Amino acid sequence: MLVDSPPQPRDGTTSAPPAPTAKRRTLRAAGLFASVGVLALVAVASIAVGAKPMPLGDVWHGLFHSSGTANDVLIHDVRVPRTLLGLLVGAALGLAGAVMQALTRNPLAEPGILGVNAGAAAAVVSAISFLGVNSLTGYVWFAFLGAGLVSAAVYLLGGSRAATPVRLALAGTAASAALYGYINAVQLTDSAALNQLRFWQVGSLAAADMATVAKVAPFILVGVVVALLLARPLNAMAMGDDTARALGARLTRTRVLSMVVITLLCGAATAACGPIVFIGLMVPHLVRAITGPDLRWILPYAAVLSPVLLLGSDVVGRVVTRPAELQVGIVTALIGGPVFICLVRRRRMAQL
Amino acid sequence: MQRLSAESVTLGYDQRVIAKDLSVEIPDRSFTVIVGPNACGKSTLLRALSRMLKPSEGRVLLDGQAIHSLPAKKVARTLGLLPQSSIAPDGITVGDLVARGRYPHQGLLRQWSPEDERIVQESMEATGVGGLGERYVDELSGGQRQRVWIAMALAQQTPLLLLDEPTTFLDIQHQIEVLDLCAQLHEEQGRTLVAVLHDLNQAARYASHLVAMRDGEVVAEGAPASVVTAELVERVFGVRCQVIPDPETGTPLVVPAAPRRSLVG
């Protein structure tokens, strides 16, 4: 061989400052801290703003020195549950979206793509139409069951142990299409069910009460903890299955746990509020623009910023058509749509 | 007893059997290169040795234990693999990617430490990407990118490192760069390297131990000087050739024969 290798520049042997990495870590931590602050502000706004505006003094009084005034009752029975539900559901949707996008390596993954929303909705439709369930607390369990069943079915259809991102996405899309067909068929033949579902299907926090919050909170909290624990194996899997396996990540276990987490988070969120669109799709994208591709940062950021967006949208929805209100699912779609289009146009999207 | 070996394994995908009753031992501290024509099962063997593929019969032994029964992270601290293709996450920096090689050394109770930081930096310097830590992986050239992936595998700090066609898709300059790097890792750090290579001459030049395969069987193995003969090349690759000493290194150099005009005309 006649090629003489050119002398290789072994750059970096002279100076290798690790400073920028440490600085970035500090910045990210500070950003997360600031995000928590913003979330606190939005939560206060969510308690203060509504059909009946409330001065901050009354908010403070109602929260910490409640003495049963009309405002105190309003805060306790309506505003606080609504805000808590917004926090829980927002965190759940954002985390579920982030885990889904990591799991399927598909930047467009959202609760819709893996069929979770469709599963929840189909179960609720069946419950209303065939079993006569008509209370919100009744929906919760059916929505949850539907989400779980469809997640499992999608995982099996996607090839179970041999599941690949593309196969999972295809299986989820196919399942969604079939289930929405079923939902439409039931709705068309049962007008009573249609009326009941119309509200739920848009996505709303308005019906929140403490019973609903208590019912979904355990699922969402477990889901949040497990999701955060999955950050490292999902990081490894982002580099391809072989690389992840070579690093000692356990792919099947991580996939199954991710599906469980997604089911817990999406099932609980969808059951409580109906399918709220765009949060699970949009927030992880926004977050990635801030943190880069490290899930150890993406997941906590998504868990904090998603409720900011959800509660913010809910507050906006209460203000714009006062004294009536716009459901949060509509507002997130109205705000989220254009933002998402901007994001997609500005940032190069990874290939499926 | 060598650290890594395959014990009469049967390998295949779904129903298709690629190799039957195959046994190979990887000599410790060797730079073993597996060669053979396309579809001879050389990558399949490497995938089995790196536990990417589970043998349907027989077993792969790592330090005397069946590799598939060992905990995944424990294996990953002993044996590293550079797969044929990996995905660099969108917008990841070189430093962050190499740092992910520390995965098997971390756990819930064992988070990032200054030692991890030092190993990552050393791995980047060993592969000549020490100054690129803050650069985005997608901005790099193919050769640089391959060295970044090797740096990630090095950060795993495994005594054994397996490389599946590490020079594919690289031009000749970067091929030689990567192979020089492998030779350096083998000689200076005393790691055991196993690579699948396409180019017989590169294999003969860099390997300390050569495994020649055909139709899922090992046809010959040993030092390149004893394995690479005109007779063997014809038997394995079906190519008539002369083997002469490489003018640079003295290792065998395969020169394919010119077409026989008598047959053509």
Side-chain angles (χ1 to χ4, degrees):
Chain A
M1 234 158 271
L2 301 173
V3 181
D4 275 324
S5 296
Q8 284 164 25
R10 295 267 182 226
D11 36 15
T13 41
T14 44
S15 70
T21 312
K23 196 174 153 198
R24 210 166 47 219
R25 209 171 293 150
T26 318
L27 268 178
R28 283 172 183 168
L32 191 57
F33 197 68
S35 304
V36 174
V38 173
L39 180 58
L41 288 178
V42 174
V44 171
S46 167
I47 295 173
V49 177
K52 182 179 182 198
M54 220 169 278
L56 286 179
D58 284 16
V59 172
W60 184 264
H61 184 265
L63 282 179
F64 300 108
H65 311 284
S66 180
S67 56
T69 64
N71 275 354
D72 288 351
V73 172
L74 182 64
I75 284 173
H76 270 271
D77 292 355
V78 180
R79 300 273 174 90
V80 168
R82 185 171 186 159
T83 304
L84 282 177
L85 194 65
L87 286 173
L88 286 169
V89 167
L93 290 173
L95 269 178
V99 170
M100 248 181 230
Q101 289 174 14
L103 178 70
T104 60
R105 277 183 228 123
N106 179 350
L108 294 179
E110 49 127 4
I113 283 199
L114 291 195
V116 183
N117 272 355
V124 172
V125 172
S126 307
I128 292 171
S129 191
F130 302 128
L131 303 175
V133 175
N134 55 14
S135 73
L136 188 83
T137 44
Y139 295 171
V140 173
W141 297 104
F142 284 96
F144 203 67
L145 184 74
L149 283 178
V150 172
S151 295
V154 165
Y155 184 70
L156 290 176
L157 280 173
S160 51
R161 288 175 75 92
T164 61
V166 180
R167 285 171 75 168
L168 278 178
L170 283 176
T173 311
S176 293
L179 288 168
Y180 278 120
Y182 165 78
I183 293 165
N184 284 336
V186 174
Q187 283 185 328
L188 284 175
T189 53
D190 186 343
S191 55
L194 172 67
N195 275 337
Q196 242 184 317
L197 265 164
R198 215 173 42 194
F199 197 68
W200 181 80
Q201 252 193 344
V202 176
S204 171
L205 289 172
D209 55 34
M210 270 308 183
T212 310
V213 172
K215 201 150 247 169
V216 296
F219 296 112
I220 292 180
L221 291 178
V222 169
V224 168
V225 171
V226 180
L228 293 176
L229 290 177
L230 286 174
R232 279 169 18 81
L234 284 173
N235 260 349
M237 282 170 65
M239 298 183 292
D241 288 359
D242 281 356
T243 307
R245 227 177 269 140
L247 287 173
R250 289 156 69 179
L251 271 61
T252 304
R253 189 178 73 161
T254 307
R255 287 212 174 95
V256 169
L257 280 177
S258 299
M259 293 296 278
V260 169
V261 161
I262 291 166
T263 306
L264 280 175
L265 294 175
C266 283
T270 306
C273 307
I276 294 175
V277 290
F278 270 118
I279 301 258
L281 186 60
M282 188 169 49
V283 172
H285 279 276
L286 285 168
V287 167
R288 253 194 301 276
I290 304 171
T291 64
D294 189 342
L295 283 156
R296 286 173 305 175
W297 289 104
I298 292 176
L299 295 180
Y301 262 96
V304 175
L305 288 181
S306 300
V308 168
L309 186 64
L310 186 70
L311 279 179
S313 299
D314 191 41
V315 171
V316 169
R318 284 181 239 167
V319 174
V320 284
T321 55
R322 194 151 45 183
E325 45 178 76
L326 213 51
Q327 279 129 352
V328 66
I330 297 175
V331 181
T332 59
L334 286 177
I335 299 178
V339 170
F340 186 67
I341 291 168
C342 285
L343 267 180
V344 173
R345 283 181 55 87
R346 202 161 56 83
R347 283 174 55 91
R348 187 169 49 84
M349 298 285 286
Q351 297 292 308
L352 182 76
Chain B
M1 181 75 195
Q2 309 294 349
R3 296 192 71 173
L4 183 64
S5 61
E7 212 178 60
S8 44
V9 290
T10 297
L11 306 172
Y13 301 98
D14 296 326
Q15 297 304 314
R16 203 161 54 91
V17 173
I18 291 182
K20 230 184 154 134
D21 200 25
L22 180 66
S23 294
V24 174
E25 279 204 345
I26 305 299
D28 287 348
R29 294 178 177 273
S30 68
F31 185 173
T32 296
V33 174
I34 308 173
V35 292
N38 290 340
C40 71
K42 53 189 191 299
S43 278
T44 308
L45 173 61
L46 196 84
R47 289 181 68 76
L49 288 174
S50 58
R51 101 204 122 113
M52 295 293 119
L53 179 69
K54 193 175 182 183
S56 52
E57 275 166 57
R59 46 192 199 150
V60 170
L61 295 177
L62 177 66
D63 293 328
Q65 285 175 290
I67 199 167
H68 278 94
S69 64
L70 291 169
K73 276 195 175 180
K74 194 178 167 203
V75 174
R77 288 193 292 266
T78 312
L79 182 149
L81 168 74
L82 184 74
Q84 255 179 46
S85 61
S86 309
I87 306 163
D90 236 9
I92 195 167
T93 61
V94 171
D96 284 348
L97 186 74
V98 176
R100 290 193 182 179
R102 297 301 294 159
Y103 181 84
H105 298 274
Q106 295 173 306
L108 264 187
L109 301 174
R110 162 96 177 57
Q111 297 288 335
W112 193 252
S113 72
E115 198 208 344
D116 291 316
E117 191 77 51
R118 180 180 61 76
I119 290 163
V120 166
Q121 196 56 38
E122 279 174 9
S123 307
M124 293 192 339
E125 273 157 26
T127 55
V129 295
L132 305 180
E134 297 299 314
R135 292 274 298 277
Y136 291 106
V137 175
D138 23 8
E139 292 172 351
L140 304 181
S141 72
Q144 284 175 319
R145 211 172 302 163
Q146 188 65 308
R147 283 191 288 169
V148 169
W149 284 112
I150 295 176
M152 192 195 81
L154 288 186
Q156 220 174 311
Q157 284 215 310
T158 56
L160 291 121
L161 179 58
L162 277 55
L163 306 103
D164 197 356
E165 301 192 15
T167 54
T168 317
F169 308 123
L170 297 180
D171 59 30
I172 181 84
Q173 185 203 342
H174 291 123
Q175 287 182 19
I176 289 174
E177 234 175 69
V178 165
L179 289 171
D180 281 342
L181 172 60
C182 291
Q184 188 193 340
L185 294 174
H186 168 238
E187 282 156 23
E188 290 174 12
Q189 304 192 358
R191 297 189 200 230
T192 306
L193 261 63
V194 186
V196 168
L197 291 182
H198 265 302
D199 187 316
L200 196 50
N201 286 329
Q202 287 179 350
R205 178 184 270 203
Y206 287 95
S208 70
H209 184 83
L210 206 58
V211 176
M213 288 181 69
R214 187 191 166 96
D215 297 334
E217 285 175 16
V218 173
V219 180
E221 56 180 319
S226 64
V227 170
V228 182
T229 60
E231 186 265 319
L232 180 108
V233 173
E234 179 151 14
R235 191 147 60 96
V236 171
F237 289 92
V239 172
R240 288 193 321 111
C241 68
Q242 292 184 49
V243 174
I244 58 171
D246 185 324
E248 282 279 324
T249 57
T251 51
L253 182 66
V254 175
V255 182
R260 273 183 280 191
R261 294 198 190 278
S262 59
L263 281 181
V264 178

